[in-house]
Amino acid sequence: MKPFRMLGRSIRDAVKSVIRNFSLSLASISCISITLIIVAVAIMASYNVQNFTREIEKDMTIVVFLDNQIEQDEIHEVEEQIKSISNVGEYTFQSRQEVKQKMQEESEIFSTVLENWEDEDSPLKDTFQVKVKNIEKIKDTAEKIQAIEKVSVVRYGEGMVDKMVTAFASIKKVTYGIVVALILVTIFLIVNTIKLTISARKREIEIMRLVGASNITIKLPFIIEGMILGVFGSVVPILITIYGYFAFYRHFDGYLYSRLIQLIEPEPFIYNVSLIVIAIGIVVGMIGSASAVKRYLKV
Amino acid sequence: MDLIRLKNVEKKYKNGVTAIYDLNLAIEKGSFVFVIGGSGSGKSTLIKMLYREEKPTKGQVVVGGLDVAKLKNKKVYKLRRKLGIVFQDYRLLPKLTVYENVAFALECIGEKKDIIRIKVLKALEDVGLKNKVHEYPNNLSGGEQQRVAIARAIVNDPKLLLCDEPTGNLDPEKSMEIMKVLESINKQRGTTIIMATHDKEIVNKMKKQVITLKDGHLVKFKQKGTYAE
Ligand SMILES: Nc1ncnc2c1ncn2[C@@H]1O[C@H](COP(=O)(O)OP(=O)(O)OP(=O)(O)O)[C@@H](O)[C@H]1O
Ligand SMILES: [Mg+2]
């Protein structure tokens, strides 16, 4: 019972002082909001990027066409060299006969046309289908394979994809930097808001100490005040997350540019993101108020 | 039984001033003790060590079984709950009513609402302010404000009431009212009272125990003492 009573009191005091220091509270809340909007967008973007890179990675194969006049043991040699490239994952070999068979199975027309070609003059080639471990390095890997002797042509996905993937990687780094800077500014503002509250309630705190309030009782209202700032600060970012992502998803019909780049379904994704956003808000608020309490409340 | 015991206590402030030299004292439960002495003689310092606002630099201060000097900062509240403190400047919260000011002391330690109500009204009755429960401190006279402060100090039934010049801002008549309140608390509740004061008249009239300090040294500890040396 007693902890609940104390908690109720602390929350009441915290709300009161948020209202009393309205302008500074509003500044903190706005700063938290801006930070969290960027955090939310960054989270959603990076989850999506992760999601479709994973999808692409699954499908993404480098197709290696070998020279027409290649001997069986040379094929083996090429295979050894491909295998030795570190980014190479699984790979399969398809001989031109297998390719031919496959194409014939797929369509009647192919079937009759291909029937007349002998192996010697067939335009079809022996191929390796190579999967990479890290898609960001696919270009590099493709070039390495291209350099192997007896390799005629190397093809992989749309060129756009790998460019996009590397672009996302650098955007991610910049975003991290911005978010960290914003969080620091936010904490600074919260510290100052709480500091003001503490000085406004100096007398009260002094009396609390005299009458034997425990340290946690004295600190709790300020910590809760910080958390309230965090919660208020996450309202707008959460609305933006929910409505914004829904709208975005609908506008693009669930994918970007090509079917290859699928967006994550809004539900329950946006709710998870909202939870993360409010959690970050609360934690940042708490860190700010805790450090203010530590610095300005000698208990 | 001694409620308070001081053994070879010395207090030297950080600026090098020694406010108390080698003080030995034992104060019995239920006593009423004046602490007198000139300005700067160490009265406030002694009181402050009793509620652990200041730590002794040497020696031992025991209050109600708690070794005050050894008490960790985090545990000071345990000591504070055993005692009440009254200052010259009342230290009330202006935005709270009389009732709320007294109740504040109990709310801070998580007391139940209905118990708070009973205790607060009893304390306000004991200091004779039951008819001013809903007034704000600024609408009260100095004597009345000090009585609110006393009510707040005794509301949790402390064993010990510390007063640092509680009548310092009051005229003789109001001062005597405060003294009557304190005396009845001492008698009715059995609360031990230690009061630092400059006021010769009060000390002479009350005929209580008197600790006399001079430049940080204990000069006298007399039963039924007077201010005259
Ligand atoms: N916080 C402090 N820091 C440094 N020195 C202090 C501090 N408080 C008191 N002193 C010094 O300690 C000595 C005793 O001070 P104290 O306040 O105990 O005297 P007092 O008897 O209460 O005086 P008064 O009757 O004027 O209230 C004085 O010399 C004073 O200057
Ligand atoms: Mg003094």
Side-chain angles (χ1 to χ4, degrees):
Chain A
M1 286 306 99
K2 190 169 147 183
F4 282 119
R5 260 199 312 281
M6 302 312 285
L7 193 65
R9 235 180 77 86
S10 303
I11 293 172
R12 192 191 65 197
D13 287 358
V15 172
K16 265 192 207 161
S17 70
V18 169
I19 295 166
R20 195 160 36 200
N21 304 327
F22 188 71
S23 52
L24 200 54
S25 298
L26 198 65
S28 306
I29 290 170
S30 317
C31 199
I32 296 174
S33 293
I34 293 167
T35 310
L36 290 180
I37 288 169
I38 293 173
V39 170
V41 171
I43 291 172
M44 288 189 285
S46 77
Y47 267 99
N48 269 295
V49 170
Q50 233 176 58
N51 182 56
F52 65 66
T53 38
R54 207 180 304 125
E55 290 298 312
I56 293 168
E57 257 159 45
K58 249 187 263 163
D59 301 342
M60 196 65 148
T61 37
I62 301 175
V63 184
V64 183
F65 298 90
L66 303 181
D67 279 355
N68 261 344
Q69 272 70 48
I70 192 165
E71 305 295 332
Q72 199 58 40
D73 54 339
E74 285 173 326
I75 292 176
H76 201 71
E77 203 165 296
V78 172
E79 180 181 352
E80 283 304 318
Q81 288 193 53
I82 289 175
K83 222 194 322 191
S84 71
I85 296 169
S86 63
N87 196 32
V88 167
E90 291 168 31
Y91 63 89
T92 51
F93 175 74
Q94 254 180 349
S95 67
R96 61 189 96 174
Q97 291 84 359
E98 283 168 325
V99 177
K100 180 173 162 187
Q101 214 169 2
K102 223 180 183 181
M103 289 174 87
Q104 282 176 321
E105 276 165 25
E106 265 169 34
S107 114
E108 287 282 326
I109 304 164
F110 276 150
S111 176
T112 46
V113 173
L114 294 173
E115 198 62 57
N116 302 317
W117 276 332
E118 287 307 315
D119 279 355
E120 298 311 306
D121 49 24
S122 163
L124 297 174
K125 295 176 180 185
D126 296 314
T127 59
F128 279 104
Q129 316 216 324
V130 178
K131 295 204 168 164
V132 292
K133 290 177 191 155
N134 182 358
I135 193 152
E136 282 176 35
K137 291 186 192 146
I138 194 166
K139 192 172 173 215
D140 190 43
T141 309
E143 278 166 5
K144 275 186 193 155
I145 295 173
Q146 177 77 73
I148 297 171
E149 220 171 311
K150 297 282 176 194
V151 169
S152 128
V153 189
V154 170
R155 288 261 174 281
Y156 62 94
E158 297 111 293
M160 177 202 87
V161 171
D162 70 306
K163 268 186 211 135
M164 211 163 68
V165 170
T166 36
F168 276 131
S170 41
I171 289 171
K172 212 152 109 186
K173 273 179 208 147
V174 174
T175 314
Y176 280 152
I178 294 172
V179 166
V180 168
L182 274 170
I183 284 180
L184 290 180
V185 173
T186 308
I187 289 176
F188 173 79
L189 264 173
I190 293 171
V191 167
N192 278 284
T193 311
I194 303 293
K195 179 182 160 189
L196 200 76
T197 314
I198 290 173
S199 71
R201 296 177 55 190
K202 222 172 174 171
R203 187 108 215 220
E204 203 176 322
I205 294 163
E206 182 195 9
I207 292 166
M208 284 176 93
R209 272 199 210 131
L210 286 176
V211 300
S214 60
N215 280 357
I216 184 73
T217 312
I218 296 174
K219 286 179 191 168
L220 201 58
F222 303 106
I223 306 283
I224 290 179
E225 187 177 341
M227 288 166 66
I228 288 176
L229 295 177
V231 171
F232 284 173
S234 45
V235 171
V236 172
I238 284 176
L239 291 179
I240 288 177
T241 300
I242 292 176
Y243 290 104
Y245 190 73
F246 257 126
F248 180 77
Y249 188 82
R250 261 193 229 120
H251 184 258
F252 287 101
D253 244 349
Y255 58 88
L256 289 177
Y257 305 116
S258 83
R259 291 276 170 198
L260 203 55
I261 305 178
Q262 292 278 332
L263 295 173
I264 299 172
E265 298 255 338
E267 280 175 305
F269 177 59
I270 45 173
Y271 304 120
N272 296 337
V273 174
S274 301
L275 279 179
I276 296 172
V277 164
I278 199 169
I280 293 175
I282 289 174
V283 168
V284 168
M286 256 173 68
I287 291 172
S289 55
S291 67
V293 163
K294 204 168 177 189
R295 217 176 313 163
Y296 301 107
L297 202 69
K298 298 264 182 300
V299 285
Chain B
M1 249 284 287
D2 294 335
L3 182 67
I4 296 169
R5 232 174 313 120
L6 279 78
K7 240 167 91 182
N8 307 111
V9 171
E10 182 201 272
K11 175 66 194 179
K12 190 172 179 181
Y13 283 108
K14 286 204 184 80
N15 62 0
V17 176
T18 305
I20 296 283
Y21 294 90
D22 194 30
L23 183 61
N24 290 286
L25 264 185
I27 293 174
E28 266 176 49
K29 232 179 214 166
S31 28
F32 194 132
V33 186
F34 286 114
V35 180
I36 62 171
S39 194
S41 58
K43 305 183 292 292
S44 296
T45 302
L46 172 58
I47 301 267
K48 280 177 184 166
M49 284 193 289
L50 295 178
Y51 67 93
R52 180 53 165 71
E53 178 72 17
E54 296 291 348
K55 270 184 180 178
T57 34
K58 274 190 201 152
Q60 201 183 30
V61 176
V62 181
V63 177
L66 284 173
D67 191 335
V68 176
K70 281 191 189 146
L71 208 57
K72 292 214 176 76
N73 279 340
K74 266 197 267 177
K75 302 282 177 187
V76 168
Y77 75 93
K78 290 191 172 173
L79 171 71
R80 301 278 169 92
R81 286 181 191 191
K82 288 175 190 247
L83 48 84
I85 312 162
V86 176
F87 299 94
Q88 183 170 359
D89 57 358
Y90 325 131
R91 301 198 191 175
L92 301 174
L93 294 168
K95 284 185 184 154
L96 301 186
T97 64
V98 167
Y99 179 90
E100 289 164 347
N101 261 288
V102 180
F104 184 77
L106 294 176
E107 282 171 9
C108 287
I109 59 173
E111 192 58 273
K112 280 199 203 98
K113 236 188 164 108
D114 42 347
I115 292 181
I116 290 179
R117 186 161 183 82
I118 295 166
K119 284 190 170 181
V120 170
L121 291 177
K122 172 76 169 65
L124 285 172
E125 192 178 357
D126 286 1
V127 299
L129 276 181
K130 228 184 161 177
N131 56 337
K132 302 256 164 125
V133 170
H134 298 299
E135 287 293 346
Y136 284 89
N138 289 340
N139 299 338
L140 301 178
S141 73
E144 286 169 332
Q145 289 187 47
Q146 190 59 296
R147 282 188 276 157
V148 177
I150 293 171
R152 183 179 65 195
I154 62 166
V155 71
N156 196 27
D157 270 318
K159 293 193 189 101
L160 175 63
L161 181 59
L162 301 172
C163 310
D164 196 352
E165 317 229 16
T167 60
N169 285 346
L170 303 174
D171 61 36
E173 196 185 328
K174 298 284 187 208
S175 297
M176 271 329 285
E177 273 177 38
I178 294 294
M179 291 320 295
K180 274 181 201 141
V181 168
L182 291 178
E183 185 163 36
S184 87
I185 288 166
N186 176 242
K187 289 229 168 85
Q188 310 282 316
R189 296 189 177 225
T191 312
T192 308
I193 296 182
I194 299 180
M195 172 171 157
T197 185
H198 270 126
D199 196 323
K200 290 183 183 134
E201 212 174 313
I202 285 176
V203 176
N204 292 339
K205 259 190 200 152
M206 300 289 291
K207 306 233 168 359
K208 303 292 184 189
Q209 300 176 47
V210 177
I211 292 170
T212 311
L213 295 177
K214 194 181 176 209
D215 300 330
H217 296 277
L218 177 67
V219 182
K220 255 188 279 185
F221 188 3
K222 262 188 144 181
Q223 310 292 318
K224 300 210 173 161
T226 58
Y227 206 94
E229 283 174 39

